[in-house]
């Protein structure tokens, strides 16, 4: 699935399912539920659209549509703030298993992920962030604590990057303790997972290359999500200003607000361009580095690292500014619990911290 028309059709299909089954009431139920996401909605997306199978090669029970198709789904989920195990499991978890190069593990784990029956979680962050390894390996056992784990509280299988390579561990093992972490963003749950001499299965893989690649994928995925959310904030703001009347006129007719919404539009579209450029780079390097379903030695373009860093920075900034304007132009209603504007605001600020950020300023070589 590489053509623009196919990706647009996929986006329209996912958006239709979300519009029918993922409205604001469904989101509120998910926030208050035990899982933190709408299990029925996730089942529909997996069974009717096959979203969990998109980035999984066909030889492992997937669709083989590639990362670009999977990130289309992430973008559409960003519009609604629903957070099923798409980003954490079907994108990052799947890519981690593929990056290990372990075909036995791919054949054993990925078909169930493609069907939506197994959830993966990537345990790769320390308390200080996504640089370095917080889990130690001794005689095949894992010890340490992983922080900020997406889908960590509900995952079936944990994938753990260490300085010795990637490891797989059953999330239900008695040596594994999982705790839901307090977060500012109620729409996305993160977990803290502690391993106490937990027996694990080595998957292999080159750890530095794998974690660097996963960070790139995470940044591109987050950029796609931010574009979807920012676009939704813009659309809801435009609709609100058409219906809100002050001084006998819809406030959307005021010139000052027109200018501000035009600026929001520019931010959204520039963020979209940055995100799509980064995703295109990822798709090229993934296909170039794929051998028998396992990703090996990606071959990046010279500017791909710059594109990814630019997308990470600009999409975060654009989303934060757009949602700030949304809150301002909605007025007092935007800061009530009943309205969803504050949820977009919290997601925007949480996303600026998730997966870290580029450590060097963006500058092309002279």
């Amino acid at each position: 699935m590489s053509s623009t028309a196919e990706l647009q059709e996929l986006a329209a299909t996912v958006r239709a399912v979300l519009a029918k089954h993922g409205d604001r009431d469904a989101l509120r139920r998910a926030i208050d539920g035990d899982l933190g996401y709408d299990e029925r909605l996730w089942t529909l997306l997996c069974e009717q659209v096959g979203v969990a199978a998109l980035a999984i090669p066909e030889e492992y029970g997937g669709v083989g549509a590639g990362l670009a198709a999977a990130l289309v789904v992430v973008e559409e989920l960003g519009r609604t703030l629903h957070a099923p195990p798409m980003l954490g499991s079907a994108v990052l978890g799947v890519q981690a298993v593929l990056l290990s190069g372990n075909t036995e593990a791919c054949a054993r784990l990925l078909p169930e992920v493609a069907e939506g029956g197994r959830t993966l979680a990537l345990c790769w962050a320390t308390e200080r962030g996504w640089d370095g390894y917080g889990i130690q390996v001794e005689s095949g056992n894992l010890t340490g604590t992983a922080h900020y784990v997406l889908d960590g509280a509900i995952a079936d299988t944990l994938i753990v990057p260490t300085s010795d390579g990637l490891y797989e561990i059953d999330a239900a093992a008695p040596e594994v303790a999982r705790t839901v972490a307090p977060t500012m963003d109620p729409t996305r749950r993160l977990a803290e997972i502690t391993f106490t001499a937990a027996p694990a299965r080595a998957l292999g893989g080159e750890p530095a290359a794998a974690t660097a690649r996963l960070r790139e994928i995470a940044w591109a995925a987050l950029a796609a999500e931010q574009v979807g959310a920012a676009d939704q904030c813009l659309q809801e703001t435009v609709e609100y200003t058409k219906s809100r009347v002050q001084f006998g006129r819809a406030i959307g007719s005021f010139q000052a607000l027109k200018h501000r919404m035009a600026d929001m539009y520019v931010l959204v579209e520039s963020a979209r361009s940055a995100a799509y450029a980064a995703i295109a780079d990822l798709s090229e390097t993934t296909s170039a580095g794929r051998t028998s379903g396992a990703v090996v030695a990606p071959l990046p373009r010279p500017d791909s690292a710059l594109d990814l860093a630019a997308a990470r920075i600009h999409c975060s900034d654009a989303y934060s500014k757009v949602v700030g304007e949304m809150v301002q132009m909605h007025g007092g209603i935007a800061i009530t619990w009943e309205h969803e504007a504050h949820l977009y605001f919290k997601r925007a600020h949480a996303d600026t911290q998730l997966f870290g950020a580029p450590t060097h300023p963006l500058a092309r070589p002279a």
Side-chain angles (χ1 to χ4, degrees):
M1 184 182 293
S2 57
S3 73
T4 301
E6 289 176 315
L7 294 177
Q8 289 175 338
E9 184 177 355
L10 172 63
T13 301
V14 173
R15 195 177 302 182
V17 174
L18 291 171
K20 185 174 182 180
H21 302 284
D23 59 13
R24 69 174 63 182
D25 291 333
L27 177 64
R28 299 298 177 131
R29 289 193 299 270
I31 291 173
D32 295 332
D34 294 334
L35 297 177
Y37 69 92
D38 190 324
E39 188 174 19
R40 177 174 174 270
L41 176 62
W42 177 238
T43 299
L44 286 171
L45 288 169
C46 290
E47 293 180 351
Q48 296 185 6
V49 189
V51 297
L54 289 171
I56 298 176
E58 293 182 54
E59 58 263 43
Y60 301 130
V63 175
L67 270 173
L71 298 193
V72 165
V73 179
V74 172
E75 179 180 344
E76 293 304 318
L77 288 170
R79 293 181 182 277
T80 64
L81 298 181
H82 279 284
M86 184 68 199
L87 175 56
S89 177
V91 175
L92 294 178
V94 164
Q95 293 305 311
V97 175
L98 290 172
L99 283 164
S100 73
N102 189 319
T103 55
E104 183 277 330
C106 290
R108 177 166 45 82
L109 298 174
L110 297 186
E112 291 184 31
V113 177
E115 294 171 358
R118 180 188 295 271
T119 299
L120 306 176
L122 184 62
C123 305
W124 63 325
T126 67
E127 190 173 15
R128 291 174 299 198
W130 283 263
D131 293 317
Y133 305 101
I135 309 301
Q136 306 302 316
V137 183
E138 185 175 350
S139 302
N141 296 332
L142 304 183
T143 298
T145 300
H147 296 263
Y148 322 119
V149 182
L150 271 71
D151 305 319
I154 51 92
D156 304 296
T157 303
L158 306 176
I159 308 299
V160 186
T162 74
S163 58
D164 295 334
L166 295 166
Y167 281 79
E168 167 201 345
I169 188 168
D170 182 358
E175 299 86 357
V176 177
R178 299 188 281 181
T179 305
V180 176
T183 58
M184 176 178 64
D185 176 14
T187 65
R188 171 143 56 205
R189 291 189 186 174
L190 304 176
E192 182 178 293
I193 302 180
T194 299
F195 304 93
T196 307
R201 183 185 304 210
L203 296 180
E206 204 288 309
T211 52
R213 180 64 174 171
L214 287 169
R215 186 179 294 108
E216 292 175 348
I217 294 169
W219 285 355
L222 206 56
E225 179 186 279
Q226 290 167 324
V227 167
D231 192 32
Q232 185 66 23
C233 290
L234 170 61
Q235 291 181 27
E236 291 190 17
T237 302
V238 170
E239 289 304 313
Y240 180 76
T241 59
K242 289 179 180 179
S243 60
R244 180 74 169 94
V245 175
Q246 280 282 65
F247 309 112
R249 296 171 54 187
I251 63 173
S253 65
F254 298 155
Q255 192 70 20
L257 295 191
K258 287 182 180 180
H259 287 167
R260 290 172 69 175
M261 285 184 282
D263 289 341
M264 291 169 69
Y265 176 79
V266 171
L267 284 169
V268 171
E269 292 306 312
S270 60
R272 192 189 311 279
S273 296
Y276 287 5
I279 293 168
D281 289 340
L282 278 183
S283 299
E284 290 176 9
T285 57
T286 299
S287 60
R290 187 178 298 284
T291 303
S292 299
V295 179
V296 294
L299 306 173
R301 293 193 303 103
D303 287 344
S304 62
L306 181 66
D307 289 343
L308 284 162
R312 173 62 180 141
I313 293 171
H314 183 59
C315 292
S316 295
D317 182 61
Y319 181 21
S320 295
K321 288 179 178 176
V322 167
V323 76
E325 290 282 30
M326 177 193 194
V327 170
Q328 288 287 323
M329 281 187 265
H330 274 75
I333 192 175
I335 57 174
T336 63
W337 177 251
E338 290 74 21
H339 199 276
E340 63 272 17
H342 73 97
L343 296 176
Y344 284 98
F345 184 86
K346 292 171 182 175
R347 173 68 71 85
H349 286 276
D351 279 358
T352 62
Q353 305 300 315
L354 191 62
F355 306 133
T359 55
H360 301 290
L362 295 182
R364 293 181 181 273

